[in-house]
Amino acid sequence: MSKRIVITGIGVVTPIGIGNIEFTKALKAGKSGASIIESFDTSAYVTKFAAVVKNFCPEQFIDDKKKIKRMARFTQFGFSAAKMAIEDSRLDVSKEDLSRIGVITGTGIGGLDIIEKEEQTLLNKGPRRVSPFLIPMIITNMLPGEIAINYGFTGPNYAVTSACASSNNAIGDALRLLRSGDADVIVSGGAEGAVVPLGLAGFCSIKALSQRNHEPQKASRPFDKDRDGFVMGEGAGIVVLETLEHALNRNAKIYAELAGYGASDDAYHITAPEPEGKAAVLAMEKAIIDADVSKDEINYINAHGTSTILNDKTETLAIKKVFGDRAYKIPISSTKSMIGHLLGGAAGVELAATLLAMQEGFIPPTINYETPASDCDLDYVPNKARMQQITCALSNSLGFGGHNATIVIKKYVR
């Protein structure tokens, strides 16, 4: 029998709140984190807003000011969320075998902010003035590396990059490594910090973003008839995963059991989902089988729900194919309606949202759902949180390149 894996700590840095308490309150209230971008001039952009993290002070989480300057924004977010998650788990590092603790995180883009900055240095001052920390700052694996260096974790350590599925793939890899006995504890999740001029320009050019500049807080409207694109977001969501045996031995608080994982690829197009959702169905089916639960046990779905025309339509179709008529009875919500799309960091925050909702007994809303679309006709928990117990949840992530990753969590029963 495979080992049971549980979640014992959560840490978040999001556009609607930093830390579990603030984030949970915002989820219940249906708060939007979208606003006009103030950090750079957007006058030439067709989209002028994003869901950015507000009031973030890395000094609260990172003691060394030199280290902060040598971290890209995504690393600052992820490191801070990891520190909160480890503190929340009450893991006493001094009493652990550090070779049995790993870190696996996801990010889609990495240090785009640093690439922009150092490119300007190269052009204006020449190659000799480019920072010697350029490469270490931009690479995606620096987040798990920094976490390991800080705590002395010498177990499995790497980053996963699979666009918007990155965090779920990272969490799924962690699940498998823990089951196989390669570690007792793995810190996992994801982070992104790509709301910078080049990042915004790229997504504008691909026509992926909403252009609702007159009301940014209403721009992310997954499954709504009038959706016109996603809202860029930033931040991080990190969890502490442990074998059940390890968690029980140290009398840890257990949020839930990480029960299943499934992954697939559309093999269809670099940005558009395969119209019939066949591979998304495959990822969900694999995760449910891996979790050893029946489809009837799933009583909440945290959807990928980007607020784009094709994704929302295709994901809805895929859910119907997996669950049949019962799809209409399962509450579904998109956290992205509130926090925007955190790209490679999205699934980490969405897992955190699902766990906190399970803990508090509510289902987060899909805000800005005003006009039902004929091809998106399921129960998306519109606009207001619903007080309801979650016992078994499925969380989807579907990324550019056709990557699909689904995880299943369930209420812990000893």
Side-chain angles (χ1 to χ4, degrees), residues 8 30 33-34 55 58 60 65 75 81 87 90 121 170-171 273 276 291 303 318 332 337 346 349 354 362 397:
T8 59
N55 304 316
Q60 292 180 356
K65 290 186 178 181
T75 305
E87 288 175 356
R90 298 185 179 90
T121 300
I171 293 162
E276 297 301 314
I332 301 165
S337 63
V349 178
T354 304
F362 75 97
S397 288

Side-chain angles (χ1 to χ4, degrees), residues 51-249:
V52 298
V53 175
K54 302 161 187 72
N55 304 316
F56 174 67
C57 298
E59 295 83 4
Q60 292 180 356
F61 307 98
I62 307 164
D63 296 332
D64 188 342
K65 290 186 178 181
K66 285 186 179 179
K67 178 172 276 193
I68 293 171
K69 290 180 179 179
R70 294 170 183 172
M71 283 183 176
R73 191 161 171 81
F74 87 97
T75 305
Q76 292 180 7
F77 288 152
F79 186 96
S80 301
K83 188 170 185 181
M84 285 186 275
I86 292 166
E87 288 175 356
D88 184 45
S89 74
R90 298 185 179 90
L91 185 71
D92 188 344
V93 176
S94 67
K95 295 180 180 178
E96 296 292 333
D97 178 352
L98 301 184
S99 71
R100 301 288 300 165
I101 303 179
V103 188
I104 303 174
T105 61
T107 189
I109 296 176
L112 191 59
D113 54 328
I114 304 302
I115 293 174
E116 275 193 348
K117 178 185 175 185
E118 294 304 321
E119 168 71 1
Q120 289 302 308
T121 300
L122 174 66
L123 294 176
N124 297 326
K125 299 180 180 180
R128 292 179 183 273
R129 297 296 297 276
V130 170
S131 171
F133 296 99
L134 166 64
I135 301 303
M137 284 195 285
I138 67 174
I139 51 180
T140 60
N141 60 293
M142 196 47 59
L143 171 56
E146 287 280 19
I147 296 167
I149 290 166
N150 187 71
Y151 290 98
F153 300 154
T154 56
N157 188 292
Y158 58 90
V160 176
T161 297
S162 49
C164 310
S166 299
S167 292
N168 262 2
N169 283 141
I171 293 162
D173 278 8
L175 172 66
R176 289 175 174 174
L177 284 169
L178 288 164
R179 281 177 175 171
S180 69
D182 287 341
D184 297 322
V185 180
I186 296 182
V187 178
S188 190
E192 202 76 86
V195 183
V196 295
L198 187 60
L200 184 66
F203 281 114
C204 284
S205 293
I206 207 171
K207 295 181 169 58
L209 301 181
S210 169
Q211 297 181 25
R212 200 180 285 256
N213 295 303
H214 61 292
E215 47 183 5
Q217 291 190 336
K218 293 187 176 182
S220 186
R221 44 202 314 115
F223 309 107
D224 185 82
K225 180 178 179 292
D226 298 320
R227 64 194 186 276
D228 70 326
F230 74 80
V231 175
M232 282 188 76
E234 62 176 8
I238 302 289
V239 296
V240 175
L241 306 174
E242 301 184 45
T243 63
L244 176 59
E245 180 182 18
H246 186 274
L248 291 177
N249 283 343

Side-chain angles (χ1 to χ4, degrees), residues 220 222-223 303-308 311-312 315 334-337 396:
S220 186
F223 309 107
H304 187 57
T306 58
S307 185
T308 60
N311 175 88
D312 294 359
E315 187 177 12
S334 171
T335 314
K336 292 181 181 72
S337 63
N396 283 331

Side-chain angles (χ1 to χ4, degrees), residues 333-388:
S333 61
S334 171
T335 314
K336 292 181 181 72
S337 63
M338 293 175 274
I339 65 172
H341 192 348
L342 273 65
L343 311 176
V349 178
E350 287 158 14
L351 171 58
T354 304
L355 289 165
L356 293 167
M358 179 180 279
Q359 182 87 356
E360 296 286 324
F362 75 97
I363 295 175
T366 301
I367 66 170
N368 301 320
Y369 186 77
E370 296 172 349
T371 308
S374 60
D375 51 9
C376 297
D377 58 348
L378 300 178
D379 176 10
Y380 304 112
V381 192
N383 304 312
K384 291 184 179 180
R386 183 179 300 168
M387 299 311 294
Q388 183 174 317

